[in-house]
């Protein structure tokens, strides 16, 4: 357990950030799963609509620092490739 007041505050801050980060991560993971479900169901129009929402969620996570910007770019690129292959 923390002994100093600054260490106690750091624990409180860490706990708050953990809650916020988990909500952001859940948001972009759910968005990715929705796009993948549409791809598996072979629905290109729906996948394209959901891809836009996934981009937004992933970009938000990267902006907030819950996700590294290069990782966010990788996720977006891979989702876009899958959606584009579906349209062909």
């Amino acid at each position: 357990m923390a002994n100093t007041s600054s260490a106690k505050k750091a624990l409180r801050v860490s706990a708050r950030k953990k809650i916020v980060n988990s909500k952001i991560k859940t948001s972009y993971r759910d968005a990715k799963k929705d796009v993948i479900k549409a791809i598996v169901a072979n629905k290109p129009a729906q996948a394209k609509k959901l891809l836009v929402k996934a981009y937004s969620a992933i970009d938000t996570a990267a902006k907030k620092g819950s996700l590294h910007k290069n990782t966010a770019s990788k996720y977006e690129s891979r989702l876009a490739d899958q959606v584009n292959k579906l349209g062909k």
Side-chain angles (χ1 to χ4, degrees), residues 1-69:
M1 189 63 195
N3 291 326
T4 63
S5 61
S6 60
K8 290 176 184 176
K9 180 181 177 184
L11 282 173
R12 292 193 305 270
V13 170
S14 174
R16 283 195 304 266
K17 285 185 177 184
K18 182 178 179 182
I19 292 168
V20 171
N21 284 334
S22 67
K23 288 181 182 181
I24 293 170
K25 286 182 181 182
T26 300
S27 173
Y28 83 79
R29 285 178 180 158
D30 288 346
K32 278 177 44 180
K33 286 178 189 175
D34 290 342
V35 174
I36 291 170
K37 284 180 186 175
I39 291 168
V40 170
N42 200 18
K43 298 180 180 178
Q46 184 182 5
K48 287 181 181 179
K49 287 181 183 177
L50 291 172
L51 184 63
V52 174
K53 292 181 181 180
Y55 277 170
S56 177
I58 292 169
D59 287 338
T60 300
K63 181 181 173 188
K64 302 277 185 175
S66 295
L67 189 64
H68 193 273
K69 65 177 185 172

